[in-house]
């Protein structure tokens, strides 16, 4: 594994399951959310916890596809898919799918050839879509995305918890 891959892998794992300096890891946050709380939409909120986690899952899968050379687009299920009605099994599956998507991405990070990290992804630069950046910037962006939305989930959980 290259130095860049190790750095990015460490960053991803730090925020997902280790001890980030700013607060609890993403997996600790979502593992403590009940399915009832996950689907509750507090007054004034646009998204539920389940909706935010679906969004995070979709973008993790989209970044994985881009790392594999696919052209950029919105996630297959859409940017903000509807989480549907509260369902305990569905919530547990969503958490499992999110964790698996990050394991899959970690494998790609570990195996990406050194000369690819500075190379642009398979798209022209479009700031709104996050395309045309280097593979390194793409992973850094996803880590930032995870941190941002993990904070939202933690705050929503305090409200509906």
């Amino acid at each position: 594994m290259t130095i860049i891959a190790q750095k990015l892998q460490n960053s991803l794992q730090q925020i997902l399951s280790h001890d980030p300096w700013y607060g609890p890891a993403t997996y600790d946050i979502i593992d403590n959310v009940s399915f009832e709380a996950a689907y509750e939409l507090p007054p004034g909120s646009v998204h539920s916890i389940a909706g935010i986690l679906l969004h995070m899952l979709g973008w993790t899968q989209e970044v994985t596809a881009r790392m594999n050379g696919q052209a950029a687009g919105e996630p297959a299920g859409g940017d903000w898919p509807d989480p549907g009605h509260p369902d305990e099994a569905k919530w547990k599956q969503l958490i499992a799918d999110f964790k698996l998507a990050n394991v899959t991405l970690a494998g790609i990070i570990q195996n990406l050839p050194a000369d690819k990290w500075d190379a642009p992804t398979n798209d022209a630069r479009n700031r709104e879509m996050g395309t045309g950046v280097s593979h390194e910037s793409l992973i850094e962006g996803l880590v930032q995305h995870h941190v941002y939305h993990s904070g939202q989930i933690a705050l929503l959980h305090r409200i509906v918890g």
Side-chain angles (χ1 to χ4, degrees):
M1 185 175 352
T2 66
I3 292 171
I4 292 172
Q6 186 65 53
K7 179 187 105 181
L8 294 169
Q9 178 79 327
N10 289 346
S11 292
L12 183 63
Q13 294 313 309
Q14 184 72 19
I15 63 114
L16 289 173
S17 60
H18 292 121
D19 188 22
W21 71 265
Y22 56 80
T26 301
Y27 293 162
D28 291 339
I29 294 168
I30 62 176
D31 285 342
N32 287 305
V33 174
S34 68
F35 83 93
E36 297 95 345
Y39 289 89
E40 189 171 332
L41 190 63
S45 294
V46 177
H47 303 289
S48 67
I49 291 170
I52 294 169
L53 191 58
L54 264 173
H55 171 80
M56 292 171 73
L57 169 61
W59 281 103
T60 303
Q61 293 168 331
E62 173 60 23
V63 165
T64 299
R66 292 179 190 188
M67 291 294 290
N68 281 325
Q70 292 183 18
E74 278 197 2
D79 189 17
W80 287 100
D82 181 358
H85 298 291
D87 181 308
E88 187 170 11
K90 192 166 62 171
W91 172 242
K92 288 180 180 180
Q93 187 62 55
L94 176 56
I95 291 171
D97 290 348
F98 179 69
K99 290 178 180 181
L100 179 59
N102 281 287
V103 168
T104 301
L105 180 60
I108 291 168
I109 290 170
Q110 289 173 0
N111 294 311
L112 194 74
D115 63 337
K116 289 281 230 172
W117 285 111
D118 287 334
T121 57
N122 185 23
D123 298 283
R125 181 69 177 128
N126 178 324
R127 185 174 178 80
E128 290 75 32
M129 282 294 294
T131 59
V133 297
S134 71
H135 290 81
E136 180 179 8
S137 293
L138 183 63
I139 298 300
E140 287 173 342
L142 184 70
V143 168
Q144 294 165 6
H145 187 257
H146 279 355
V147 170
Y148 175 80
H149 288 303
S150 295
Q152 288 181 315
I153 290 171
L155 289 172
L156 283 174
H157 190 233
R158 282 188 178 180
I159 293 168
V160 302

